[in-house]
Amino acid sequence: MNNNFRKIGIFCSGGDSPGMNACIRAIVKTCQKHLIQPIGIYRGYEGLIDGDFKELKNEHIRNILGQGGTILKTARSKRFMTPEGRLKAYEQIKKHQLDGIIAIGGDGTAKGALTFSKEFSDIPIVACPGTIDNDLFGTDYTIGFDTAINTTMQAIDKIRDTAHSHDRLFFIEVMGRDAGLIALYTGIATGAEAILIPETLTNIDELVQIIKHRWETQKTSCIVVVAEGDDAGGAFEVAKKVQQKFNEYDTRVSVLGHIQRGGTPTCTDRINASLLGVHAVKALLEGKKNVMLGILENEISYTPFEYAVKEQKSQYVQLLETFQFLM
Ligand code: F6P
């Protein structure tokens, strides 16, 4: 272990996710145990560029374990995508004498960290996977996914109640601009009749056949879960395309939106986020850099940034195959 670390900077970037606070808390506590000053960087890469830093003390992390969102705030930074922005960030790191950085975020965060690490290799960076989308390679899990799928599942269950009472067809849009795992998990968990995801091409005629069959054989509710990034469009667009070909059902569209990103984290999210936070500090002390931590088969994993953002997870294939038997 390297004991030369005096200050570690921590930030959240990209979309927030429930459990980020549990991760921050674990990082702060682990730093304190190693007599390292944990420095909070506010609003992600934006705060890194502006030097919006504050030492995190016990009072900052009290009672945050069960809070959704992030006490450090977050942002999607356009400035960090420019060489000038990254240079400013580097200068702030040097000025404030940070010896290492822990980023919590999703693929945009990892891409930013990857570019930065190539330009300024003297700053060790590791990342904890924080996104409700669970779309990072090298980890079975990302912070916030478990809470998000439970929130989404409960919302779809509620819609099913009313859909069933009225024998209606619902198109329910869930989050996932580029990733369909929220749609797949919650569609399977709620017994959806169809699930549309960005990873596969949507065939509207096939979808119409499924809906028609449901109408002709059961004349009861029908739920189509649509990931917002599906190639056929969002839920409103898909509904329109279907209605042009089959219009027997009384149809409604429901966009669940940002409700999926909030709320108190589940037990799984609190535990895994804490585990990742503790190991992120340990990783820096062990000399690891430019890696995204993760959890693979119940073990902590370390995936180089370039693979974390490029490769596709294999979970889709198995879930899609499973769904074929449940339709
Ligand atoms: O953080 C991931 C995510 O929630 C995606 O599922 C979604 O497509 C996107 O962020 C929405 O981002 P924003 O909050 O910027 O609208």
Side-chain angles (χ1 to χ4, degrees):
M1 288 242 183
N2 172 357
N3 287 333
N4 294 330
F5 280 83
R6 286 158 303 153
K7 287 185 186 177
I8 289 180
I10 309 146
F11 67 83
C12 296
S13 168
D16 62 346
S17 62
M20 279 182 163
N21 281 331
C23 188
I24 294 166
R25 173 180 174 269
I27 294 168
V28 170
K29 282 180 172 273
T30 312
C31 280
Q32 288 171 342
K33 293 262 163 15
H34 289 92
L35 306 177
I36 296 166
Q37 265 183 37
I39 307 295
I41 301 164
Y42 287 78
R43 295 180 182 79
Y45 288 119
E46 285 290 294
L48 196 59
I49 293 169
D50 293 335
D52 193 359
F53 300 171
K54 193 194 285 172
E55 184 182 355
L56 294 175
K57 302 204 168 128
N58 286 335
E59 72 227 41
H60 297 112
I61 57 164
R62 206 167 287 139
N63 258 326
I64 66 168
L65 183 58
Q67 273 177 29
T70 158
I71 58 156
L72 291 178
K73 311 259 181 180
T74 185
R76 301 189 197 277
S77 175
K78 290 215 167 73
R79 285 191 293 161
F80 197 74
M81 291 179 185
T82 66
E84 299 76 32
R86 292 192 293 274
L87 177 61
K88 278 197 183 136
Y90 177 74
E91 286 165 357
Q92 293 288 5
I93 291 172
K94 285 293 181 193
K95 184 172 152 199
H96 290 84
Q97 299 176 320
L98 302 186
D99 303 304
I101 300 278
I102 300 175
I104 309 170
D107 64 340
T109 308
K111 278 178 192 154
L114 174 64
T115 310
F116 185 81
S117 66
K118 284 183 184 158
E119 291 167 349
F120 306 104
S121 57
D122 57 325
I123 310 290
I125 311 180
V126 299
C128 293
T131 163
I132 62 162
D133 290 345
N134 198 8
D135 57 346
L136 290 161
F137 180 77
T139 181
D140 292 332
Y141 162 89
T142 59
I143 297 167
F145 178 66
D146 190 60
T147 308
I149 53 175
N150 279 291
T151 304
T152 309
M153 179 188 75
Q154 284 164 17
I156 300 176
D157 279 346
K158 287 176 179 144
I159 292 174
R160 174 73 88 177
D161 288 345
T162 174
H164 202 63
S165 303
H166 288 263
D167 292 332
R168 278 178 173 159
L169 162 63
F170 265 85
F171 292 87
I172 304 175
E173 185 175 304
V174 303
M175 274 194 165
R177 223 173 355 218
D178 311 300
L181 274 185
I182 295 178
L184 265 178
Y185 267 73
T186 59
I188 291 174
T190 57
E193 277 64 41
I195 305 170
L196 312 185
I197 60 170
E199 291 81 358
T200 56
L201 280 181
T202 292
N203 182 326
I204 292 292
D205 289 327
E206 274 173 24
L207 178 61
V208 168
Q209 281 317 311
I210 293 166
I211 294 169
K212 209 169 165 190
H213 182 254
R214 178 85 174 167
W215 174 259
E216 285 166 358
T217 56
Q218 305 199 28
K219 274 202 167 51
T220 182
S221 67
C222 184
I223 300 279
V224 179
V225 175
V226 185
E228 63 181 325
D230 188 72
D231 64 287
F236 277 102
E237 228 178 312
V238 174
K240 208 167 146 196
K241 286 178 183 166
V242 168
Q243 280 180 309
Q244 280 161 2
K245 299 191 174 204
F246 181 72
N247 202 14
E248 292 300 320
Y249 262 116
D250 188 14
T251 302
R252 295 289 185 275
V253 176
S254 188
V255 178
L256 298 186
H258 289 77
I259 193 173
Q260 296 162 95
R261 279 230 303 257
T264 181
T266 59
C267 184
T268 298
D269 272 329
R270 294 181 201 196
I271 300 284
N272 285 350
S274 302
L275 205 70
L276 288 162
V278 169
H279 280 85
V281 178
K282 285 177 74 178
L284 282 177
L285 296 184
E286 285 164 8
K288 294 192 170 64
K289 54 192 223 173
N290 308 334
V291 289
M292 171 76 74
L293 277 83
I295 300 178
L296 269 182
E297 295 175 4
N298 291 325
E299 297 281 338
I300 295 288
S301 57
Y302 306 90
T303 306
F305 289 143
E306 52 262 53
Y307 296 116
V309 296
K310 255 197 215 135
E311 306 284 333
Q312 204 184 65
K313 282 171 119 97
S314 57
Q315 260 165 307
Y316 294 96
V317 182
Q318 210 178 10
L319 286 167
L320 275 171
E321 276 171 14
T322 304
F323 183 59
Q324 300 309 316
F325 290 96
L326 302 173
M327 286 167 80

